[in-house]
Amino acid sequence: MDTVGVFGRTVVDAVHGLSAIVRRDPEDPTTRDRLDDEQTYSDYLASRTILKGAKFGLPWTRCWDVVAQQRKDVALRVFEAIENAGGEIIRTDFPCAEDRIVPDGSWDWKRGEATESEITAVKTDAYNDINTYLSQLSGSSVKSVKDIVVYNVKNAGTEGGEPGDTPAFRSGQDDLRKIIESRGAEDETYAKALQYTRHKCRVQGIDAALKFDGDGIGTVEFDSLLLCDRKGAGQQLAAQAGYPIITIPVGLDTDGFPVSLSFQHKAWHGGTLIK
């Protein structure tokens, strides 16, 4: 399951915010064993000179090939700046693209059978993690996912407890209800789904795209993957893999909608993305 990081007016602001909140969690063996409490991501801030010789991969199938031309035009201005600074832009691909990404490049966490679907793992993890968090809160009567659903129904006018209550939650609490139905069971179906999605999105996804063997160019190792990811396919792969991603707004398309570029890498390479 993905976790939202920090927001900022600039990359520098966001990085300083990230440095302030990154710490080891004694209840999380992943951060407990890997993070240093003295670590600061601010040390990775660099000037454009770092771009000289850097290689950026553009995942193409069901990613860049479905980006509207008017948004590509905005991205091309950034590519030109990268190349003028000495960087390279090269096509790559996610080998898992046709398996994990729908044809139009949209995020679909229900894709595949239960043993292959992101939603299977998300429902279970959400049930267990949300219940654990809420149960430890003081000063609140909401102690579980079920309590959230009950509260939202009682306050339907503002919280969207039922379908059609508010425009922001047209389907009501369908996802929360599915989370409750899962009962947090870490059963065989859950284990298979977690293993499948991680393998596809890591080994056959982002890992493979970062070290791409292209026709006529040999093997290229990229410093970052670069996506124009409004529909969310790239974010979906990063979420399922448990990998970092940084998104930066770069302009407006001809309809006045914002355009952003997303930078991706493997776990524990957040500093590389910041540079």
Side-chain angles (χ1 to χ4, degrees):
M1 182 162 36
D2 56 320
T3 302
V4 177
V6 294
F7 293 83
R9 288 176 61 89
T10 66
V11 172
V12 172
D13 288 347
V15 170
H16 288 329
L18 182 61
S19 292
I21 66 174
V22 170
R23 292 294 183 274
R24 286 181 291 184
D25 182 345
E27 297 183 6
D28 176 13
T30 302
T31 61
R32 185 182 64 221
D33 299 337
R34 291 293 299 265
L35 288 182
D36 179 353
D37 280 342
E38 300 302 318
Q39 180 179 11
T40 170
Y41 281 105
S42 302
D43 293 339
Y44 292 100
L45 290 168
S47 69
R48 70 176 60 191
T49 58
I50 200 71
L51 292 172
K52 187 174 183 179
K55 294 180 174 64
F56 296 88
L58 304 186
W60 202 258
T61 303
R62 300 192 178 183
C63 294
W64 278 98
D65 66 346
V66 295
V67 174
Q69 187 59 49
Q70 60 175 330
R71 288 189 278 280
K72 285 181 181 176
D73 291 340
V74 177
L76 285 172
R77 295 199 292 270
V78 178
F79 295 171
E80 183 178 358
I82 290 174
E83 291 172 337
N84 287 341
E88 294 183 65
I89 308 291
I90 304 170
R91 284 194 191 186
T92 184
D93 251 322
F94 296 125
C96 70
E98 293 187 0
D99 179 85
R100 300 310 304 157
I101 304 173
V102 298
D104 72 350
S106 298
W107 187 324
D108 181 4
W109 65 354
K110 299 176 183 178
R111 184 171 177 79
E113 301 295 329
T115 55
E116 302 176 352
S117 176
E118 178 186 8
I119 190 65
T120 300
V122 167
K123 288 187 299 184
T124 300
D125 289 344
Y127 183 92
N128 293 326
D129 293 346
I130 294 173
N131 283 355
T132 298
Y133 171 74
L134 291 176
S135 67
Q136 298 171 354
L137 290 182
S138 60
S140 173
S141 61
V142 177
K143 299 294 183 181
S144 68
V145 181
K146 186 175 181 180
D147 290 344
I148 295 175
V149 171
V150 171
Y151 175 87
N152 289 341
V153 170
K154 288 181 178 179
N155 297 272
T158 57
E159 303 302 326
E162 301 293 349
D165 283 344
T166 68
F169 301 99
R170 294 181 181 179
S171 59
Q173 304 182 87
D174 50 342
D175 287 335
L176 285 176
R177 296 185 190 278
K178 289 174 183 176
I179 289 171
I180 293 172
E181 291 172 3
S182 79
R183 298 183 180 274
E186 296 182 357
D187 54 17
E188 183 179 3
T189 300
Y190 164 81
K192 285 183 176 180
L194 191 62
Q195 181 182 28
Y196 183 86
T197 54
R198 282 182 174 176
H199 178 76
K200 284 289 184 179
C201 296
R202 292 177 180 177
V203 178
Q204 296 183 11
I206 295 172
D207 294 6
L210 281 165
K211 190 174 183 179
F212 184 68
D213 189 6
D215 293 338
I217 61 173
T219 301
V220 181
E221 294 191 31
F222 294 107
D223 295 279
S224 172
L225 301 180
L226 193 55
L227 298 101
C228 188
D229 203 28
R230 179 179 293 179
K231 294 184 177 181
Q235 298 165 55
Q236 180 181 18
L237 263 62
Q240 292 180 44
Y243 284 179
I245 184 170
I246 295 176
T247 301
I248 301 175
V250 295
L252 301 175
D253 64 21
T254 54
D255 293 326
F257 285 97
V259 177
S260 64
L261 293 177
S262 297
F263 297 79
Q264 286 186 350
H265 212 295
K266 295 188 289 187
W268 309 110
H269 283 72
T272 301
L273 294 183
I274 290 169
K275 285 194 291 184

